Every structure is written in C-alpha cells, then in structure tokens.
Amino acid sequence: MEKIKMTTPLVEMDGDEMTRIIWKWIKDILICPYVDLKTEYYDLGLVERDKTDDLVTEESAKATLKYGVAVKCATITPNVQRMSEYNLKKMWKSPNGTIRAILDGTVFRAPILVDGISPYIPTWKSPIIIARHAYGDIYKAVDGVCGKGKAELVYTDQNGNKTTQTIFDFNEDGIVLAMHNTNRSIQSFARACFNYALSAKLPLWFSSKDTISKVYDGNFKKIFEDIYQNEYKQKFEEAGIDYMYTLIDDAVARIVKSEGGIVWACKNYDGDVMSDMLATAFGSLAMMTSVLVSPTGVYEYEAAHGTVTRHYYKHLKGEITSTNPVATIFAWTGALKKRGEIDGLQDLAYFAQRLEKATLKTIEEGEMTGDLVSLFKKDGITPVKLSTKEFLEAIAKRI
Ligand code: NAP
Ligand code: MG
C-alpha cells in the first residue's frame, strides 16, 4: 500500500512516563504504517526541558504558531518530589501553562463516546464540550478578612482620579474578595469559542449570571454578543449552527435534559467545576480529549489525563500494563484531521477518521484496556482486558 502523503509538518511535542511509551507505540503501530508522517519534533520530556532550560517548550509553542497544528503528549509538571527524582536545575513551570501563554488559547475538553459505555445521564447521546475561560476571576483574585469597619473598592484611573464604592459596612467579622478580568482576554475567549463551534459544526452556548452580576458578567455577555453579531453571525448561519446566551442556572438544567452535541462556553470557575462533572458523568478521564485553540485559529491537541505515573513504575519493573491509549490516539487523529483539512489532504483526514472508528469498534466489540472493563455493558459481549500493546494491535487489525 502506498503511504498517505503530508505536505506541512505537524508540531510533535513528546512527553513523559507511560504516555511517552504509548506515544511511540501509537506511531509505530497505528500511524507510520499508513502515513508518511511529517513532523517537526520537540522533546518536552522533563529530561530535555531541564537540559535546555525549558527553551524547548517555548520553541515548540512558537513552531505551533508557525505551522498551525500541534499534537502533545502528557508531560510532568515538576514538584518538590520530581526535583530530586530527576535531579532538576529548577522547578520548571507547567509546559501547558507556558504553551497557553504563548498561544493565548482557550481549552476545550470533549469526551469520547463508545457504544457499551453509557454516560450516567441516559439522554446524552453526543459529546458535550466544555470551553473554559482560563484567565482571571477567582483564580487571580485578592481576598482578605475584615473585622468591624468599612470595606471599600477603590479604582484609581491613569490621571489619579479615584472612584470609591462601599462593599460592606461590617458590624462583625467577615471576609471580602475582589476579582478582575480584561476585555482583551474575554474577547480572545469568545473568538476561540466561535472558531471551535464552527470547526466542530456544533451550536455554542455561553452562560453566566448576568442577572445578579450585572456589570461583571454583563460585560462577558455583551462581548460575546458583539463579537457574534459583527464577526460570526453569517458564518454560523452558513454552517447551520446557532449561538445562544443563557443564564448558568438555565444552562445546567438544559444540559442535563439535552442529547449533547453542544459546545458550552463557561467562565473560569464554572468551567473548572463543570468539566470535572462532565468527565465523570461521561465515564472516564482516559476517554477525554483536550484541545487548545488560539483566537487566530491555531490548534494544539492532547489527552486530558496526565502521564499515568503509577503504570509507568510498573512498566519500569517489567510488568505489562493495560494503560488506556484512546485519548492519546484521538489527540493524534484530531491533529491529522486538522492538518488534512487545512492542507486539503482528503486522504489524510479520511485516514484519521478511520483510525478513530477502528478504535471505537475495537472497544465496542469487547476488546479494551482494564479501566474500561468494569464500565462496559453490552448484551452478548463479555469484555476482554488487553494490555496496551495488544489493544493497539487489535485496533490496527480493524483499520
Ligand atoms: P494521571 O496521570 O492522569 O493519572 C491518575 C490516575 O488516573 C492513574 O493513576 C490511573 O488510575 C488513572 N488514569 C489516567 N489516565 C489513564 C489512562 N490513560 N489509562 C488508565 N488509567 C488512567 O494524573 P496524576 O497521577 O495526577 O499525574 C501524573 C503526572 O502527570 C504528574 O506529574 C502531572 O504533573 C502530570 N499531568 C500532566 C498533564 C498534562 O500534561 N496535560 C495533565 C495532568 C497531569 P489507576 O492508577 O487507578 O489505574
Ligand atoms: Mg476542576
């Protein structure tokens, strides 16, 4: 068979531990036999990050801006224990944080649905994708304790003019919190959400609490509405999808009753909480993909889970593990599909779709990794637990 050709390289960001092992197996068993894979390789494994003073992370993000599509393996974010384990020069920052800062992106998390593994909410037939604003609000807030006295909010403009608002006149002990956001960050978030919805051809919901937070959440609502009317309305109509703003309370109620197939844009805290609820409700973290989308339409695909350290230590002892590679496979297929779409390579996009189908079919026919066995329920099929490599080979057979 002639291999499928690529024209532009994918930015390949290698990573750590068990996911680094799986990374190579996915390429060897599922991709390279069929695709003449073109990548610009960056080793984001902790050893190389330490060796290059973390420059490799920055370079990989810059390459992503240049080429437009990246695929990333899970990486260790060092902590005190990793400092000694890897004998590090410094406690390097989270690579995802560094990449996000350079790409100015929004994170979208989507569950992978398989027949046989049912979401806890039976009406959900299609994925619900959470778009979480990853800047500001309570995550960059100032808070403090108060005794008796007056708490005030003071804003000083560039010319030194002050506006003072009373927060509360305390007659007893209490607490205050002040938070902020910037219009630029909210605009980036909004554009990333509109671009993602267009790319996925799914309707977009944005929710906040503007009935109570009239100025703060009202500003989010207005920015979304203005950008929609001025830049996206026509594109949405052409794609046959719509944009809806609704109160967070209403959104939560509607999500539970929905069939899925929605991109749900959430403010920072709402997104933090709701994405954990959705991951669990859909089944498993090992079946959750994540993509960082910049406002200029640059894409970085990855699995939502980490480097699966516990399995890696077993692997190092020579034990065979049954680590689930599905989210990492889907990171690759997401990136290959996007590359195919941008470069007009139908064969490449088609191959990526086929690989996704083969992966799902393998599980649906009862062959899966250990984490899924207890979740799987389908009449007439008794699930069989495979090792990671056996599972990848079972997928290859079905491509
Ligand atoms: P984790 O790697 O996601 O693993 C937590 C547990 O979840 C595992 O021990 C395993 O449970 C289960 N699990 C996760 N992915 C799985 C898979 N593909 N197949 C089967 N089971 C899976 O999280 P962590 O242990 O908290 O973090 C490990 C390292 O990953 C840390 O150094 C952290 O910095 C890094 N991390 C990186 C990213 C990223 O790069 N995006 C994200 C999160 C964490 P059992 O042990 O019960 O089998
Ligand atoms: Mg959370």
Side-chain angles (χ1 to χ4, degrees):
M1 189 190 103
E2 204 184 318
K3 288 192 191 182
I4 297 161
K5 295 266 182 292
M6 292 178 66
T7 48
T8 318
L10 270 180
V11 177
E12 176 183 353
M13 303 169 173
D14 207 344
D16 288 299
E17 300 195 311
M18 203 58 218
T19 40
R20 186 182 180 96
I21 309 286
I22 293 175
W23 191 259
K24 183 167 184 313
W25 289 347
I26 291 175
K27 288 202 297 177
D28 289 350
I29 300 170
L30 296 179
I31 300 173
C32 293
Y34 312 97
V35 178
D36 198 358
L37 188 64
K38 243 186 161 171
T39 73
E40 194 164 291
Y41 179 84
Y42 292 87
D43 186 357
L44 266 55
L46 190 49
V47 174
E48 188 66 16
R49 273 183 278 149
D50 194 51
K51 206 158 102 193
T52 63
D53 293 339
D54 207 22
L55 269 179
V56 64
T57 308
E58 203 181 310
E59 281 165 4
S60 72
K62 288 185 177 153
T64 308
L65 285 176
K66 177 175 165 196
Y67 293 113
V69 187
V71 56
K72 180 180 170 290
C73 180
T75 45
I76 294 170
T77 298
N79 54 17
V80 177
Q81 183 253 321
R82 300 293 195 173
M83 290 286 290
S84 52
E85 184 183 354
Y86 283 81
N87 193 19
L88 300 178
K89 294 186 218 161
K90 209 174 139 182
M91 206 188 290
W92 306 108
K93 285 192 195 157
S94 145
N96 283 9
T98 304
I99 295 166
R100 208 173 296 159
I102 294 172
L103 302 188
D104 183 19
T106 299
V107 176
F108 296 85
R109 290 202 156 176
I112 300 157
L113 301 197
V114 192
D115 188 19
I117 296 172
S118 306
Y120 287 96
I121 301 201
T123 48
W124 290 356
K125 304 272 185 285
S126 308
I128 295 163
I129 295 142
I130 290 262
R132 173 184 170 188
H133 185 209
Y135 179 81
D137 296 359
I138 58 165
Y139 303 85
K140 263 195 180 298
V142 193
D143 55 3
V145 293
C146 304
K148 271 189 188 176
K150 198 201 287 184
E152 291 177 328
L153 190 62
V154 181
Y155 164 68
T156 312
D157 76 12
Q158 294 182 84
N159 304 318
N161 305 314
K162 288 186 192 301
T163 329
T164 306
Q165 287 172 275
T166 301
I167 301 169
F168 196 67
D169 261 321
F170 283 97
N171 261 323
E172 57 194 325
D173 290 347
I175 39 182
V176 287
L177 170 134
M179 60 188 197
H180 81 282
N181 226 299
T182 68
N183 287 359
R184 196 167 62 93
S185 173
I186 302 166
Q187 286 156 359
S188 284
F189 171 50
R191 290 199 177 93
C193 293
F194 288 122
N195 286 339
Y196 186 98
L198 275 174
S199 160
K201 297 195 177 55
L202 290 174
L204 176 70
W205 296 3
F206 173 55
S207 57
S208 76
K209 190 75 178 177
D210 69 297
T211 45
I212 301 299
S213 170
K214 291 191 183 355
V215 174
Y216 198 101
D217 282 14
N219 188 53
F220 275 81
K221 178 183 175 182
K222 182 170 186 311
I223 286 174
F224 265 76
E225 185 60 30
D226 288 350
I227 290 181
Y228 178 65
Q229 291 297 339
N230 296 329
E231 300 172 29
Y232 290 94
K233 191 165 190 268
Q234 198 185 342
K235 290 182 204 160
F236 267 52
E237 281 167 5
E238 282 162 14
I241 55 176
D242 47 25
Y243 164 66
M244 173 179 82
Y245 173 82
T246 186
L247 267 185
I248 180 80
D249 323 42
D250 180 49
V252 170
R254 281 178 191 246
I255 284 285
V256 171
K257 288 190 292 183
S258 79
E259 292 194 349
I262 299 154
V263 181
W264 183 14
C266 288
K267 287 182 62 207
N268 211 344
Y269 174 81
D270 299 337
D272 183 352
V273 176
M274 290 302 156
S275 64
D276 285 350
M277 187 198 67
L278 286 180
T280 310
F282 271 110
S284 160
L285 188 60
M287 299 291 281
M288 182 70 81
T289 61
S290 183
V291 57
L292 176 67
V293 184
S294 85
T296 54
V298 165
Y299 294 75
E300 184 238 300
Y301 293 85
E302 65 177 329
H305 60 78
T307 59
V308 212
T309 311
R310 201 180 66 82
H311 295 213
Y312 180 59
Y313 291 154
K314 280 182 152 188
H315 171 83
L316 288 183
K317 280 194 243 159
E319 289 177 40
I320 290 172
T321 74
S322 180
T323 316
N324 189 336
V326 172
T328 308
I329 296 173
F330 274 65
W332 274 99
T333 53
L336 290 171
K337 244 193 282 182
K338 183 54 76 181
R339 199 64 276 166
E341 207 179 278
I342 295 173
D343 297 342
L345 303 172
Q346 277 176 16
D347 284 359
L348 189 64
Y350 180 63
F351 167 76
Q353 273 170 22
R354 243 183 129 90
L355 176 49
E356 288 182 356
K357 269 194 194 157
T359 304
L360 300 181
K361 195 157 188 267
T362 306
I363 301 171
E364 284 164 5
E365 291 176 355
E367 297 185 272
M368 63 200 74
T369 47
D371 56 312
L372 298 182
V373 169
S374 63
L375 301 172
F376 188 87
K377 279 179 189 59
K378 208 169 170 186
D379 282 346
I381 298 179
T382 309
V384 181
K385 175 181 166 179
L386 302 181
S387 71
T388 305
K389 221 169 184 178
E390 287 167 342
F391 178 64
L392 295 173
E393 276 151 8
I395 296 169
K397 252 190 281 170
R398 291 174 172 88
I399 296 179

